[in-house]
Amino acid sequence: SGTLDLSTGTVFSDAPSANVTYAFSNPPASGTAYGFTLTVTPSATITWTFPATAKFPGGTAPDAPASGETDVLVFFTLDGGTTYYGFRAGDAMA
C-alpha cells in the first residue's frame, strides 16, 4: 500500500495495519481532468500522510479513520499532478 499508480484506474482501496505515506504516480498529462477515489479501512490505529501536492480544505488533511472504520477520499487534478485537490467524501462509513 502507499503508492497509487493512477494509470491503473480511478478507484483504490487500502487496509493499512501501520502508518502509511501515500504517493500518487503516473497522472495524466496537464490539461486532462482526472479524478480518483481512495477508500481506507485500517486494521489498527494509524496516521496517514499525503504528498505535498495534495491540497485539502483548510490546508490540512483530515484525520485518519479509527481501526475498522472506513473513510472515502476523492481527489482530482487538472495539471498533470502538480496539484491534487482532496476531499473526504465519507467519514466512518458503515
Side-chain angles (χ1 to χ4, degrees), residues 1 5 8 35 40 58 63-64 76 82 84:
S1 69
D5 182 350
T8 65
V40 180
D63 292 334
F76 75 92
T82 299
Y84 293 93

Side-chain angles (χ1 to χ4, degrees), residues 1-2 14-22 42-49 64-65:
S1 69
D14 193 23
S17 59
N19 296 343
V20 61
T21 298
Y22 289 104
S43 61
T45 299
I46 65 157
T47 61
W48 57 13
T49 304

Side-chain angles (χ1 to χ4, degrees), residues 15-70:
S17 59
N19 296 343
V20 61
T21 298
Y22 289 104
F24 308 145
S25 66
N26 300 314
S30 185
T32 300
Y34 174 81
F36 64 96
T37 303
L38 171 62
T39 302
V40 180
T41 307
S43 61
T45 299
I46 65 157
T47 61
W48 57 13
T49 304
F50 294 91
T53 55
K55 308 301 181 191
F56 292 93
T60 303
D63 292 334
S67 179
E69 290 184 351
T70 298

